[in-house]
Coordinates of all heavy atoms in Angstrom, one line a residue:
K161 N -9.9 185.2 -101.2 CA -11.0 184.9 -102.0 C -10.9 183.4 -102.4 O -9.8 183.0 -102.7 CB -11.0 185.8 -103.3 CG -11.6 185.2 -104.5 CD -11.7 186.3 -105.6 CE -11.6 185.7 -107.0 NZ -11.6 186.8 -108.0
D188 N -15.9 183.5 -105.4 CA -16.0 183.9 -106.8 C -16.5 182.6 -107.5 O -15.8 181.6 -107.5 CB -14.7 184.3 -107.4 CG -14.8 184.7 -108.9 OD1 -15.9 184.7 -109.4 OD2 -13.7 185.2 -109.4
N190 N -17.5 182.5 -110.9 CA -17.3 182.5 -112.4 C -18.5 182.0 -113.1 O -18.4 181.2 -114.1 CB -16.0 181.7 -112.8 CG -14.8 182.5 -112.4 OD1 -14.1 182.0 -111.4 ND2 -14.5 183.6 -113.0
E213 N -18.8 187.0 -106.0 CA -18.4 187.5 -107.3 C -19.0 186.6 -108.4 O -18.9 185.4 -108.3 CB -16.9 187.5 -107.4 CG -16.3 188.1 -108.6 CD -14.8 188.1 -108.7 OE1 -14.2 187.9 -107.6 OE2 -14.2 188.3 -109.7
D238 N -18.1 190.7 -112.4 CA -16.8 190.6 -113.1 C -17.1 190.4 -114.6 O -17.3 191.4 -115.3 CB -15.9 189.4 -112.5 CG -14.6 189.1 -113.2 OD1 -14.4 189.8 -114.2 OD2 -13.9 188.2 -112.8
K262 N -11.1 194.9 -114.3 CA -10.0 194.4 -115.0 C -9.8 195.2 -116.3 O -10.7 195.1 -117.1 CB -10.2 192.9 -115.4 CG -10.3 192.0 -114.2 CD -10.6 190.5 -114.6 CE -10.8 189.6 -113.4 NZ -11.3 188.3 -113.8
Ligands
MG2 MG1 -13.8 186.8 -111.1

Side-chain angles (χ1 to χ4, degrees):
K161 154 172 148 183
D188 184 0
N190 289 108
E213 184 180 344
D238 173 357
K262 293 176 180 171

